[in-house]
Amino acid sequence: MTETIDWPLRTTARPRRRKFILLLLVIIVLIFSASSALSYWVDSLWFGSLGYSSVFWTTLRLEWAIFAGFTVATFAILYGAFAVLKRAHAADLPNTHTIFFGGQPIELPVGRALGWAGALIAALIALATGAAMKSEWPAFALYWHAPATGAGTANLIADPILGKSLNFYLFTLPAWQLVAGWLLTMAVLVIILAALFLLISGGGRALNGRLSRAVALPWRGLSLALGFLLLAMAFYTYLGRFELLFTHHTIFDGATYTDAHVTLTGTLVVCFALIVGAVIAIIGGIAKPLGRWLAAAVAPAIVCYVIVGIAGWYVQTFIVRPNQLDRERPYIANNIRMTRQAYELDRF
């Protein structure tokens, strides 16, 4: 494979078109900014006329704080992962490349261009993520302004399965679910980025004839990214236990006999297996990064998930269904009792 490319010399530069495009982008940004500023100004006048100016400004500060926080955190995670992976695969990525314009060699800063491209893509994803999380400000507002533990009747009402107070389900759980979903999304993006770097490294070695079994691929980045993904999945799976109390069934809503006796405990086992897999992946990435460490990291969670699924199917099929009314009676009673409390029908 040749190291140089003959490129025909083109003398028709178009600086005017570039200036026009830049000016057009600036005008578009100013138009959208002016529209948003006008909307905020009208809203502030309306809230002020009703005597709720403090509500408007508190909401506005909260929205932009969430936007800024998640934008900065997203950019830090994505660009930090990009920088680490770029450095780990530096041996397989060219820093410069020579092309010929009219017979004259020109060095192109490939490494610098790749860095700018990574920063730009990370910034765009960060802005989109921040805007998406900004729209979820009510969940974070409820979390930050939730009543203190032990205050109010919502803390006195606890679910009969997990023993969590009503405040937890109304104020804490929605915010945690948003954070867990954000972390899982970041982990998926990081592992996709790690896989792309690994493919680029393998492709470059194959083209240069350096791909062999004697020279191992740099698995360290993918292994560490997998560890991050498994930890995020463990957190997301743990919060999924509480969603069982909102599951809709044919007869009633909430946890069933199988959920209470198999699924809840099995979910904890899967969470523990995911954490163990994350530790294996991280240790493998630090000590001796090999492809087999990836399989060893994923295997515990897969095995536990299959076992829990089989156990749940067995209990539901051979223990619950033959005598379903008797098995589900306590959980139907829980549903009726909590529904009566929610509508204050227990006072009659």
Side-chain angles (χ1 to χ4, degrees), residues 46-268:
W46 185 77
F47 275 91
S49 66
L50 298 177
Y52 289 101
S53 296
S54 60
V55 174
F56 171 77
W57 292 111
T58 300
T59 303
L60 187 63
R61 285 193 297 267
L62 181 61
E63 288 181 1
W64 285 103
I66 294 171
F67 173 79
F70 279 99
T71 300
V72 172
T74 301
F75 180 81
I77 292 174
L78 294 181
Y79 188 71
F82 172 81
V84 171
L85 291 170
K86 182 174 176 289
R87 184 174 181 180
H89 295 265
D92 300 302
L93 298 175
N95 193 31
T96 60
H97 190 73
T98 304
I99 62 174
F100 282 85
F101 281 91
Q104 298 295 325
I106 298 178
E107 296 288 336
L108 293 181
V110 178
R112 185 182 302 176
L114 184 62
W116 280 105
L120 178 61
I121 294 175
L124 292 176
I125 296 176
L127 290 173
T129 304
M133 299 303 290
K134 175 187 171 185
S135 63
E136 302 290 345
W137 69 267
F140 293 101
L142 291 174
Y143 174 75
W144 284 324
H145 299 282
T149 304
T153 57
N155 276 302
L156 301 178
I157 301 176
D159 74 85
I161 304 297
L162 297 174
K164 293 291 185 178
S165 66
L166 188 59
N167 274 355
F168 174 80
Y169 295 99
L170 292 178
F171 307 124
T172 304
L173 184 59
W176 283 11
Q177 288 173 332
L178 288 174
V179 174
W182 170 75
L183 283 175
L184 187 60
T185 303
M186 293 299 101
V188 171
L189 292 177
V190 168
I191 201 167
I192 291 174
L193 184 63
L196 288 176
F197 269 100
L198 188 64
L199 289 175
I200 293 173
S201 297
R205 293 185 182 187
L207 291 176
N208 294 325
R210 296 186 293 114
L211 186 63
S212 63
R213 293 184 178 181
V215 181
L217 286 175
W219 293 97
R220 177 172 284 109
L222 186 61
S223 185
L224 295 176
L226 180 62
F228 178 36
L229 176 63
L230 293 177
L231 287 176
M233 291 179 63
F235 183 43
Y236 192 85
T237 303
Y238 175 77
L239 293 182
R241 298 173 68 245
F242 303 102
E243 296 181 1
L244 290 175
L245 275 67
F246 304 97
T247 305
H248 176 72
H249 302 283
T250 304
I251 303 176
F252 63 98
D253 293 348
T256 63
Y257 179 93
T258 304
D259 294 334
H261 290 81
V262 178
T263 308
L264 291 175
T265 305
T267 304
L268 287 178

